[in-house]
Amino acid sequence: MPAPLRLRLDGDALVQNWRTLDRMSGRAACGAAVKANGYGLGAIEVARRLAAAGCRDFFVSNWQEAAELAPLGLTVSVLHGVRDEDMAAASAGFARPVLNTVGQVARWKAAGGGLCDVMVDTGMNRLGVSTDDIAAGLLDGLELKTLMSHLACADEDSAMNEVQRNRFAALAGRTSARRLSLANSAGIGLGTDYAFDLTRPGLALYGGIPRADLADAIRPVAAIEAQVLQRRQVGTGQTVGYNATWTATTDTEVAIVNLGYADGYFRGFSNAGTARAGDTALPVIGRVSMDLVAIDVSRAPSVHEGMWLALDFVFPEAAAVSGVSQYELLTSLGARFKRWWI
């Protein structure tokens, strides 16, 4: 069935963002995080385009995500490692685990090992084995492709960035790892001292700006378009939407569009977001509901039932308006959108 709302996705912008991040990574290879369904845009289509552009390393969270990419024949690493329940999939060879715990390392060795990656914690205290574990020989005997860690504060000018970098650099040559990898999108923005052998961008590939110094280099990829269900006049003094949070100060032309917080257009855009008819900016009025948004179209007499309107959704600005992080905006884009690549 034709969907009444769509994501217009710019494949050229996606590829150009990767090429920009690849250049910024210096001599390091540049991979791509395609977890969470390609940050909401569609992992298979994202990975296909980036592979064609030259990307050779892809990262997902779990084995279900890896299995969905398996038909593409890519090099995929599973960031959450390998549970008992994952061993059958891991043994199939379509992806390799990023081992995160002493138990995961033991499980992998007991199963005969094979090529793997390892995450080491350098201060984030999320996933990863400890540097003490490494010093005690935990990784001895592993066929280790990539030793990686993750920056906690790369989107800020924090002293912790250098602390983590130095802790990670001190591990060079202390394992059998062929490569070291630390930088995410924001880490790439910190400079080539953080790139090591492989970078792992995510947000910036998809048009997000994790650091202000990346703003001029990264292009938007996703645009929301929703269809008008009804045009109506709201008289002076009448209200729009749940809890009557907007009142007309004059007779107002209003379009109701097929979009809502169930699609990832959150309530934070209530009385704050904007839509566009051509170059004309049109304010979102009233409270965003589950499936519907009201827009003041008094300045756009041509807007009519069945017409498509674009919602302003450039990630840094949309995050500031809605109070929702760029990561959440991206990964919450719902399944009801038709994802339309151009």
Side-chain angles (χ1 to χ4, degrees):
M1 298 294 291
L5 64 170
R6 62 195 181 195
L7 281 177
R8 183 166 48 83
L9 301 172
D10 188 335
D12 182 64
L14 173 76
V15 168
Q16 291 307 315
N17 288 343
W18 178 79
R19 287 177 173 157
T20 295
L21 295 163
D22 185 39
R23 287 194 299 272
M24 293 178 68
S25 298
R27 290 181 295 179
C30 183
V34 294
K35 59 185 181 174
N37 193 29
Y39 280 51
L41 303 190
I44 291 174
E45 290 302 319
V46 166
R48 194 195 316 274
R49 284 168 169 77
L50 294 183
C55 183
R56 293 296 175 261
D57 295 273
F58 296 86
F59 300 88
V60 298
S61 290
N62 58 55
W63 290 91
Q64 180 179 1
E65 292 181 337
E68 291 168 358
L69 291 178
L72 299 183
L74 306 175
T75 300
V76 177
S77 295
V78 179
L79 293 166
H80 292 184
V82 59
R83 307 168 299 163
D84 279 331
E85 301 94 319
D86 300 322
M87 286 305 299
S91 299
F94 55 79
R96 65 175 181 260
V98 181
L99 304 176
N100 287 285
T101 69
V102 172
Q104 288 186 2
V105 171
R107 183 176 299 122
W108 191 245
K109 286 182 176 179
L115 194 63
C116 65
D117 302 327
V118 168
M119 177 72 70
V120 57
D121 176 51
T122 55
M124 191 170 191
N125 282 303
R126 196 172 61 171
L127 289 178
V129 301
S130 71
T131 54
D132 288 342
D133 291 330
I134 292 175
L138 175 68
L139 307 186
D140 292 353
L142 283 178
E143 188 181 356
L144 181 53
K145 176 71 170 179
T146 308
L147 182 69
M148 61 183 71
S149 192
H150 197 70
L151 294 162
C153 302
D155 55 350
E156 303 171 354
D157 292 325
S158 169
M160 190 172 179
N161 294 325
E162 187 174 0
V163 169
Q164 284 192 265
R165 186 216 168 273
N166 291 342
R167 287 175 180 167
F168 190 60
L171 295 172
R174 292 177 56 189
T175 73
S176 62
R178 305 173 197 173
R179 304 186 300 184
L180 299 179
S181 177
L182 177 65
N184 56 3
S185 293
I188 292 172
L190 292 174
T192 54
D193 283 349
Y194 289 79
F196 290 91
D197 303 305
L198 171 67
T199 60
R200 312 187 308 270
L203 180 69
L205 291 172
Y206 308 106
I209 309 294
R211 290 181 58 86
D213 46 18
L214 289 174
D216 293 336
I218 298 300
R219 292 169 50 183
V221 174
I224 288 178
E225 297 177 348
Q227 205 166 19
V228 175
L229 293 174
Q230 186 180 38
R231 182 177 177 126
R232 63 189 304 123
Q233 187 176 84
V234 176
T236 304
Q238 292 184 332
T239 63
V240 168
Y242 283 122
N243 303 111
T245 63
W246 182 89
T247 302
T249 57
T250 187
D251 289 350
T252 304
E253 294 293 314
V254 176
I256 308 299
V257 300
N258 203 114
L259 177 71
Y261 60 74
D263 306 300
Y265 194 79
F266 294 123
R267 283 170 55 134
F269 290 105
S270 302
N271 294 306
T274 53
R276 293 189 182 270
D279 294 328
T280 304
L282 307 169
V284 170
I285 58 175
R287 182 156 288 166
V288 173
S289 55
M290 184 181 296
D291 313 296
L292 298 169
V293 173
I295 297 168
D296 181 348
V297 293
S298 301
R299 298 178 57 228
S302 64
V303 171
H304 57 271
E305 184 175 326
M307 183 174 176
W308 292 86
L309 295 181
L311 281 294
D312 285 339
F313 207 68
V314 175
F315 293 114
E317 291 84 352
V321 166
S322 66
V324 177
S325 79
Q326 296 178 64
Y327 297 88
E328 292 171 275
L329 291 175
L330 255 174
T331 59
S332 297
L333 293 168
R336 297 191 295 189
F337 284 104
K338 174 181 171 58
R339 282 156 171 79
W340 172 41
W341 289 92
I342 59 171

